[in-house]
Amino acid sequence: MRSSGVGLGQLLLALDATLVTLVAAPRGLDLPVGSAALIDSDDVRLGLAAAASSADIFFLLGVADDEALRWVDKQARERVPAAIFVKEPSDALVTNAVAAGSAVVAVEPRARWERLYQLVNHVLEHHGDRTDPTDDSGTDLFGLAQSLADRIHGMVSIENAESQVLAYSASNDEADELRRLSILGRAGPPEHLKWIGQWGIFDALRAGGEVVRVDERPALGLRPRLAVGIYQRAAGARRAPVFAGTIWVQQGSRPLAEDAEEMLRGASVLAARIMARLAARPSPQTRRVQQLLGLTDGEPASSAAVSAIAAELGLSVDGSAVLIGWDTAGTTGDGTRPPRLTDVLALSASAFRADAQVASDGSRVYVLLPPTATTRPVTSWVRGTIGALRTELGIELRAAIAAPVAGLAGVAAARTEVDRVLDSAERHPVSIGQVTSLAEARTTVLLDEIVTAVAAEKRLVDPRIRDLHARDPALAETLRVYLDSVGDVGAAAQALQVHPNTVRYRVRRIEKLLSASLADPEARLLFSLALRALKRSP
């Protein structure tokens, strides 16, 4: 999403010295930043990074120095970015970037790229005038963290129930290793977490709303802390509040304010409200993409609305787009996504195409790529992403690709078709592969939907087939295989592992029991649907 632009200097201050360090800024720190893109080695090598030329800042992920130098030279001839973010930039890269007019920002080597990308997008989305009344300061966890830090003279971090850092205040050189690694998106040092757990601090935080004191441990380099649990009211007046996270305050050399515990309890109440609002309300960019997908009110956006959304997102209305729908392949049973799946897919999609748009709905995640000349690189990227998430996160995914989509106006209809494929894949995981297109899955999807509709209406299932199945399941199975073999006795016998004469005998018996000829095409169609519907019935 392209915002009105936050100054480069403001962005760096918001990211904190724990994550980034400014190396050089040849054009100063007032350059506006409204968009970010991720570039990896394959983008540079295959020339896919051209689609990202409109971004203001770039993250260079695993790009070798020689590739980075070539990329900087190419960007200098097209559109000079405000800044490039890179881990351990070489002197040659800094020199070339500065000569081209780009600032160079060094990223802490231990930082996670997805963490940095999330934080940058957060800063961009919460900057500027908020004309939408839902985008007020009451949804800014970073603002709350900084306000609390200023008030009680400590360094604040806010975590969710899984101990993932959601927001934090500015750090100084008194931040200990646990705080630094937490902000970087890495797990805290095992010896620290083990010590905190052994002393029952995690248990105490989950037991109630009281402030917990964590003593200093000089041997571990652990500074004193205060912590309080964040609790949200569960649905239903009689249900107990649900633990939603923790606010940690690390003390520096300056003592905390005398009323720090009272302020911390108040902050936990505000954090719970903000987290509830954030959970219920997607970001402005996500809402616009959801509108394009027809997810907001179930109706496709009007032509005027599509044009307005495209202008806001910096996209072209015309051209052949690609829509990919993703769903878990049996890893969750509650209709929810695995933790961070949307963020991880957004990171991968943005590395593949800087103009990729991502939105989610329930267990589904949708990636829109506008416009795309050919689908071959897209299919390769989708397969690679599925393999990477299986290896790195243990998540099994399936994907359905709709391409080409005739402009943004056709995205909502394409999303409906993608959902049909994914719905069918849930019922028929063997028939539909992990990666498929609408064209490839059309026959399977249509047949599945027809059979599902027949199975749902008892009156539509031929009672003769139901009786045959109840009387002699072996005959019913023979009929199914015979019909699927298009009446080829030899093929049916081979599938059933019986003699062809046995199949002929069974077919004659079936015709007698059903009082129908299997030479009748309408009878074959009716019986085939009924047999499939019976397999779906509980």
Side-chain angles (χ1 to χ4, degrees):
M1 178 178 181
R2 181 174 292 278
S3 72
S4 57
V6 58
L8 177 59
Q10 292 175 287
L11 175 63
L12 297 180
L13 285 174
L15 293 179
D16 193 78
T18 301
L19 276 171
V20 297
T21 303
L22 178 66
V23 177
R27 291 188 286 165
L29 296 176
D30 294 327
L31 293 175
V33 176
S35 59
L38 299 104
I39 300 297
D40 64 15
S41 180
D42 286 341
D43 293 330
V44 177
R45 181 170 51 84
L46 300 176
L48 300 176
S53 60
S54 61
D56 297 319
I57 61 174
F58 291 87
F59 304 116
L60 303 188
L61 286 71
V63 179
D65 200 53
D66 57 338
E67 295 175 330
L69 290 171
R70 291 197 302 272
W71 180 82
V72 167
D73 291 341
K74 185 174 184 295
Q75 286 297 117
R77 297 191 297 271
E78 297 178 356
R79 182 177 184 272
V80 178
I84 60 172
F85 288 64
V86 61
K87 293 184 178 181
E88 300 177 316
S90 67
D91 292 340
L93 179 59
V94 173
T95 299
N96 281 30
V98 169
S102 291
V104 179
V105 180
V107 177
E108 160 64 42
R110 295 175 296 177
R112 298 184 69 94
W113 282 111
E114 67 266 26
R115 176 66 183 146
L116 181 60
Y117 184 68
Q118 291 168 358
L119 292 174
V120 167
N121 279 323
H122 178 93
V123 174
L124 297 182
E125 289 179 4
H126 287 79
H127 171 74
D129 296 329
R130 296 180 174 94
T131 55
D132 187 337
T134 63
D135 292 337
D136 59 22
S137 58
T139 58
D140 189 357
L141 285 173
F142 278 87
L144 173 63
Q146 191 60 55
S147 297
L148 180 62
D150 293 341
R151 174 65 176 76
I152 66 175
H153 319 310
M155 287 170 278
V156 177
S157 59
I158 302 175
E159 300 179 355
N160 62 15
E162 289 75 40
S163 298
Q164 297 168 338
V165 176
L166 302 176
Y168 54 86
S169 64
S171 302
N172 56 36
D173 56 8
E174 296 173 341
D176 61 19
E177 190 70 358
L178 178 57
R179 174 178 173 82
R180 285 195 294 269
L181 288 179
S182 296
I183 291 175
L184 291 172
R186 301 289 179 180
E191 61 272 20
H192 290 165
L193 300 180
K194 180 180 179 181
W195 179 82
I196 292 174
Q198 285 178 340
W199 278 81
I201 293 170
F202 289 134
D203 292 336
L205 290 170
R206 286 167 170 77
E210 293 304 312
V211 175
V212 178
R213 286 189 171 270
V214 183
D215 294 332
E216 184 175 18
R217 296 283 290 187
L220 295 175
L222 189 67
R223 303 299 299 269
R225 276 173 168 74
L226 293 181
V228 68
I230 302 170
Y231 287 85
Q232 294 178 334
R233 293 186 179 276
R238 297 185 179 182
R239 296 185 61 184
V242 177
F243 178 77
T246 308
I247 302 179
W248 296 90
V249 181
Q250 185 212 309
Q251 180 179 327
S253 58
R254 182 179 181 183
L256 298 177
E258 291 184 2
D259 59 353
E261 292 190 18
E262 181 181 349
M263 293 298 100
L264 198 52
R265 282 191 288 268
S268 72
V269 174
L270 293 178
R273 293 175 183 170
I274 293 173
M275 290 167 69
R277 291 172 189 166
L278 291 174
R281 178 188 63 82
S283 69
Q285 176 186 9
T286 300
R287 291 201 299 274
R288 302 299 178 262
V289 179
Q290 287 176 335
Q291 284 179 274
L292 285 178
L293 296 173
L295 294 172
T296 52
D297 54 12
E299 295 293 332
S302 64
S303 298
V306 169
S307 298
I309 294 170
E312 185 174 345
L313 296 178
L315 304 176
S316 171
V317 176
D318 303 317
S320 297
V322 173
L323 179 68
I324 306 108
W326 309 75
D327 205 347
T328 52
T331 56
T332 59
D334 57 359
T336 60
R337 295 181 300 279
R340 300 190 298 114
L341 177 58
T342 302
D343 292 336
V344 171
L345 285 176
L347 175 65
S348 179
S350 297
F352 177 62
R353 282 280 299 270
D355 54 358
Q357 306 296 321
V358 182
S360 59
D361 183 46
S363 66
R364 303 267 165 89
V365 179
Y366 303 93
V367 175
L368 174 64
L369 303 174
T372 302
T374 176
T375 60
R376 183 174 298 176
V378 174
T379 303
S380 177
W381 167 68
V382 170
R383 294 188 184 279
T385 299
I386 288 177
L389 293 189
R390 180 192 303 116
T391 301
E392 297 175 9
L393 299 179
I395 298 173
E396 286 291 345
L397 295 178
R398 63 170 58 95
I401 303 172
V405 179
L408 296 186
V411 169
R415 193 269 307 167
T416 300
E417 294 299 303
V418 163
D419 279 345
R420 289 175 63 190
V421 175
L422 294 176
D423 288 342
S424 182
E426 289 181 0
R427 296 186 291 262
H428 271 280
V430 176
S431 301
I432 297 180
Q434 278 195 309
V435 180
T436 188
S437 67
L438 298 185
E440 292 171 340
R442 185 73 66 191
T443 300
T444 301
V445 170
L446 286 173
L447 180 58
D448 171 61
E449 290 177 342
I450 292 170
V451 172
T452 300
V454 171
E457 288 284 347
K458 185 177 179 180
R459 62 186 180 85
L460 295 181
V461 179
D462 193 313
R464 294 173 294 179
I465 297 299
R466 187 180 292 108
D467 292 342
L468 178 68
H469 187 273
R471 176 187 297 182
D472 193 333
L475 283 183
E477 177 64 9
T478 298
L479 175 59
R480 185 192 66 79
V481 173
Y482 177 77
L483 293 174
D484 287 352
S485 301
V486 200
D488 186 328
V489 172
Q494 186 175 7
L496 292 168
Q497 295 185 332
V498 298
H499 194 277
N501 286 339
T502 302
V503 174
R504 294 187 181 94
Y505 167 76
R506 290 179 181 179
V507 167
R508 289 194 297 270
R509 188 179 174 197
I510 289 169
E511 289 180 320
K512 183 176 181 180
L513 290 173
L514 298 181
S515 300
S517 170
L518 295 183
D520 183 353
E522 292 184 351
R524 292 198 302 270
L525 174 60
L526 184 63
F527 295 160
S528 183
L529 288 175
L531 287 165
R532 282 172 166 76
L534 283 178
K535 292 183 66 176
R536 302 287 181 86
S537 300

